[in-house]
Amino acid sequence: TNTAWINVAVPNNRVVVVYGCWYDSGSPSVSVVRLEKGSGPMFEFQIESAYAEQENVLYFPSLATWRPQETILVRIVPRVTVAVGHRFGLHAVTAEPIKNRISGSD
């Protein structure tokens, strides 16, 4: 069964981009990550495909971007054969304006 791991709306004037994930175990407790918007799934990434290569930092094939007031929904599918307690995280960037200004060359 998949579990809603993150379910939150992006605040005004912010953009969130998720581009990968990491885990701290040779046998992590997560098998699949699903990135969704309020309107439906964006893509699904099989974490188990990286186990054989022993990679603990993974980059997704495309960027997942949520704009202001969109709902970020990240679901994970746990592995039942692995004990819970391993750390798992997402690589993400949040962008927001500092002030209402334009900078650059003329």
Side-chain angles (χ1 to χ4, degrees):
T1 349
N2 63 46
T3 305
W5 184 40
I6 298 173
N7 187 359
V8 66
V10 177
N12 286 336
N13 297 328
R14 290 191 187 171
V15 173
V16 176
V17 176
V18 174
Y19 59 92
C21 66
W22 60 270
Y23 51 88
D24 68 353
S25 170
S27 181
S29 56
V30 174
S31 65
V32 177
V33 174
R34 291 187 183 117
L35 303 175
E36 302 178 9
K37 287 189 179 187
S39 61
M42 294 164 62
F43 70 88
E44 176 178 295
F45 192 74
Q46 303 285 332
I47 303 295
E48 286 181 321
S49 65
Y51 294 168
E53 298 171 12
Q54 298 181 354
E55 293 289 335
N56 63 345
V57 175
L58 305 169
Y59 298 101
F60 297 148
S62 63
L63 299 174
T65 304
W66 291 270
R67 300 187 187 288
Q69 298 183 351
E70 288 185 326
T71 300
I72 300 172
L73 185 55
V74 179
R75 297 181 188 271
I76 60 170
V77 177
R79 293 179 67 201
V80 290
T81 58
V82 175
V84 179
H86 300 291
R87 293 182 346 142
F88 177 84
L90 296 173
H91 293 294
V93 174
T94 302
E96 64 181 299
I98 295 176
K99 294 181 180 178
N100 292 330
R101 67 179 182 186
I102 298 172
S103 61
S105 59
D106 292 332

